[in-house]
Amino acid sequence: MVWHAPTPTATETMVIGPRITVHPGVLSGELTVPGDKSVGHRALILGALVGHPVHVTNVPRSADVAATARALRTLGAEITLDEAGTGLDGQVTGPLREASDVLGCGNSGTALRLLSGVVAGIDGMAVLSGDDSLRRRPVDRVAVPLRAMGAEVLARSDRFPPLVVRGGGLVGTSYDSPVASAQVKSCVLIAGLAAEGTTVVRSPAPSRDHTERMLAHLGVAVSTSVTDVEEVSVAAGPLRAAPLVVPGDLSSAAFWWVGAAIAGTSVTVSEVGVNPRRVGVLRALEEMGATVSVRARREVSGESTADVTVTGRALARAEIRGQATVDAIDELPVLALAGAMSEDGLEVRDAAELRVKESDRIDALAAAFRNLGLDLQARPDGFRVPGGQRPRGGIVDAAGDHRIAMTAAIAGTVATDPVTVVGADVIATSYPTFLEDLRALGGRVQVQETGR
Ligand code: S3P
């Protein structure tokens, strides 16, 4: 069967009903998780820039990556993907040309920011937009460097989507990003592939380097140096066709690892990506006292994978700040749960970026925790969670944010009473098989198809 990117409301989102109830029951066992969302976007986008057919393996069936596939087809790419194991295998073929319609990015900040770099390099105009949540997320962070490279870029209130880009005729620039964002860095590097001369992006700290690794795998000269800032440069040039394999998603695995850490059990996730700029969650769990074992390291398309086991013990205090915050940015919500159940709590600093994710994750987390009887003190750039707490069960609104919904579901596995997540269907944006995997690890969950 040929897989055509469904709309975010099609089949995958129906697997997870809008209301789920997770009953107490500890998680343990071994599993593989679907392909990495960040790498999946890049496999399709960079694959489409090659100009020859590129074979892709283990692309996640997430609605976010489906949005990227749809947008690339609107830009003229041919993408055929077939169901294969936990993901999709197939072929991506460029070249890309002026978009024939609006590029709908759904809920995905990565799709919007990376694709804006793509269209800046194409002669013609493009409009990028997305759902309510995405239209509240800042795009001035990509508009500024793309303008410096010669693209014309307009945004609503000069800050939010829709974004209108007139691309072509780019010239390499040297851009100092005020945020350590892999989306911004990747947008500029992708535009740099179509620019005259060299393009340099400097960031206040190193962020995930999936784009750099995949570009190198595709034969592009990218160089990185890290001093007090991270500096990455790329020159225009052809990309060479090479197969792209997507590793398991560490950000999905994190829910099961934290589930094991707080229950005092063991969960092994096999063949999961362990990019050094993503493994902050493992470092934090280790600092808190969990045992982390990393085995069977392998290289796939420039990324490392491994089989990773987390075994829970009594958890102690942890503090996450600076580089550790960047390296665990998407896992901070579920780590907050580990903090609440540790002896002395968790302190998270330098995480103001959480306020501009799929929700204001600091406020959404505080609200979710409140409904489960957990104390979390919100700060402008993070939060503090006192230790010695246990969720008591209750109803949590996902706030349109997949990571808040999954954090609440994991809380349900260790709560005194069941936890109901309202708006849980948003989980399909990153992890459509979350409920199957929860069940496979011994979790007990009921799904309601209706009733927000
Ligand atoms: C991502 C980068 C991070 C991360 C997001 C995915 C990426 O965002 O939070 O989920 O794929 O490049 P920022 O680049 O905004 O930090």
Side-chain angles (χ1 to χ4, degrees):
M1 184 188 93
V2 173
W3 181 82
H4 289 287
T7 62
T9 51
T11 41
E12 309 126 312
T13 43
M14 286 171 62
V15 175
I16 305 173
R19 210 177 163 101
I20 61 170
T21 298
V22 178
H23 295 263
V26 295
L27 305 176
S28 72
E30 181 167 353
L31 81 170
T32 55
V33 292
D36 189 89
K37 185 157 71 77
S38 283
V39 180
H41 286 292
R42 288 160 171 84
L44 298 183
I45 292 173
L46 299 185
L49 292 178
V50 169
H52 299 284
V54 170
H55 194 265
V56 289
T57 304
N58 201 33
V59 174
R61 285 163 51 239
S62 83
D64 274 11
V65 177
T68 286
R70 223 171 24 250
L72 288 169
R73 287 193 177 108
T74 306
L75 287 163
E78 244 180 68
I79 302 177
T80 41
L81 293 168
D82 294 303
E83 305 279 345
T86 56
L88 303 160
D89 292 359
Q91 197 163 280
V92 183
T93 313
L96 302 179
R97 49 166 161 68
E98 185 175 30
S100 56
D101 198 355
V102 172
L103 304 175
C105 299
N107 190 247
S108 176
T110 305
L112 186 94
R113 272 80 173 242
L114 270 56
L115 287 167
S116 58
V118 170
V119 296
I122 297 175
D123 254 323
M125 67 93 72
V127 181
L128 302 103
S129 195
D131 70 7
D132 289 352
S133 151
L134 190 61
R135 281 183 282 107
R136 285 194 295 267
R137 299 183 64 186
V139 288
D140 46 336
R141 52 181 62 195
V142 292
V144 170
L146 293 178
R147 281 182 195 133
M149 296 176 81
E152 276 177 57
V153 185
L154 298 172
R156 181 173 57 88
S157 307
D158 211 26
R159 181 134 204 253
F160 301 107
L163 191 70
V164 181
V165 180
R166 173 167 286 285
L170 300 186
V171 180
T173 190
S174 192
Y175 179 63
D176 282 291
S177 172
V179 282
S181 158
Q183 293 178 359
V184 171
K185 176 174 64 174
S186 302
C187 165
V188 178
L189 293 176
I190 289 170
L193 296 172
E196 200 188 302
T198 302
T199 298
V200 180
V201 200
R202 273 184 293 272
S203 312
S207 58
R208 62 188 70 190
D209 58 355
H210 302 304
T211 303
E212 297 91 303
R213 285 169 183 267
M214 197 176 286
L215 283 174
H217 179 71
L218 294 171
V220 175
V222 206
S223 68
T224 302
S225 77
V226 181
T227 49
D228 51 333
V229 294
E230 180 197 55
E231 185 175 295
V232 185
S233 55
V234 73
L239 283 74
R240 180 187 69 200
L244 298 172
V245 180
V246 181
D249 196 331
L250 173 136
S251 295
S252 299
F255 293 99
W256 315 127
W257 290 327
V258 170
I262 57 182
T265 58
S266 249
V267 167
T268 299
V269 184
S270 311
E271 294 174 70
V272 64
V274 285
N275 180 298
R277 297 274 72 88
R278 295 282 295 279
V279 293
V281 59
L282 292 171
R283 294 194 195 108
L285 288 173
E286 210 162 28
E287 186 190 333
M288 294 173 93
T291 305
V292 176
S293 118
V294 180
R295 297 176 318 281
R297 272 190 187 270
R298 284 200 309 134
E299 288 294 305
V300 288
S301 316
E303 293 282 349
S304 297
T305 66
D307 298 350
V308 180
T309 304
V310 171
T311 305
R313 306 249 179 280
L315 298 178
R317 182 175 197 284
E319 188 173 299
I320 303 177
R321 63 196 314 156
Q323 187 66 49
T325 296
V326 181
D327 294 351
I329 192 73
D330 292 339
E331 291 67 62
L332 295 172
V334 75
L335 278 169
L337 185 61
M341 297 193 69
S342 70
E343 276 169 29
D344 320 291
L346 172 70
E347 173 99 34
V348 172
R349 307 303 298 259
D350 306 318
E353 277 292 299
L354 286 181
R355 295 206 175 270
V356 290
K357 295 293 180 190
E358 286 83 329
S359 65
D360 176 332
R361 277 196 180 142
I362 297 176
D363 286 353
L365 195 60
F369 271 34
R370 211 164 28 246
N371 286 7
L372 299 177
L374 298 172
D375 181 21
L376 178 144
Q377 294 142 23
R379 301 230 166 95
D381 74 334
F383 52 82
R384 196 188 115 65
V385 197
Q389 309 188 71
R390 181 167 179 198
R392 67 161 180 235
I395 300 178
V396 170
D397 180 358
D401 188 329
H402 55 127
R403 301 210 194 277
I404 299 295
M406 289 186 275
T407 297
I410 299 300
T413 66
V414 290
T416 51
D417 291 298
V419 171
T420 295
V421 186
V422 179
D425 41 350
V426 73
I427 290 171
T429 63
S430 69
Y431 199 167
T433 53
F434 178 77
L435 296 187
E436 282 95 310
D437 288 353
L438 178 67
R439 285 191 177 125
L441 293 176
R444 295 187 302 135
V445 58
Q446 281 171 310
V447 183
Q448 273 173 259
E449 292 297 330
T450 55
R452 252 171 203 284

